[in-house]
Amino acid sequence: MKYKVTSWISFLGALGWGGTLFFFIVKDKAHGIQLSELLLFSTFLVCQICTILFVFWTGFGNSFASMSKKLDLENEILKKQIEQKALKKELEN
């Protein structure tokens, strides 16, 4: 449960910081955005995108779900290997 809570906090925090930084940089910039501001914003944006992607890839803290998916896949592979061995024995006889 604590992984799910911290992942949601990270996800919403990354979205919030991205929106806040974008608002402060674009606000009152009718004449244009300076290069230093753009570089600063882009470095923060990369960190926020990485945080959001990490949270998505881990399934919002469901690390156990990914482990169970791996186990299910391994079980299916083992079942198919057993079936293949049984079919080979039948063909040999």
Side-chain angles (χ1 to χ4, degrees):
M1 180 67 181
K2 63 183 174 183
Y3 296 115
K4 199 165 207 62
V5 170
T6 54
S7 65
W8 273 104
I9 290 171
S10 299
F11 178 73
L12 294 175
L15 286 178
W17 275 107
T20 304
L21 285 173
F22 183 75
F23 174 75
F24 281 124
I25 288 176
V26 175
K27 173 182 96 164
D28 299 328
K29 299 288 182 183
H31 61 280
I33 299 173
Q34 295 178 0
L35 182 63
S36 62
E37 293 173 337
L38 186 62
L39 289 174
L40 180 67
F41 177 68
S42 63
T43 56
F44 281 119
L45 188 64
V46 168
C47 294
Q48 292 155 1
I49 289 173
C50 289
T51 302
I52 291 170
L53 287 176
F54 177 75
V55 171
F56 274 136
W57 290 336
T58 58
F60 289 88
N62 289 332
S63 60
F64 294 112
S66 64
M67 289 174 52
S68 67
K69 287 180 186 178
K70 287 180 185 177
L71 288 174
D72 289 339
L73 181 62
E74 288 178 9
N75 285 340
E76 285 183 34
I77 291 172
L78 288 174
K79 286 178 185 178
K80 289 183 181 184
Q81 287 176 349
I82 291 170
E83 288 176 6
Q84 285 179 350
K85 287 181 182 179
L87 288 173
K88 283 182 183 179
K89 285 183 181 178
E90 287 180 19
L91 289 174
E92 290 175 358
N93 292 333

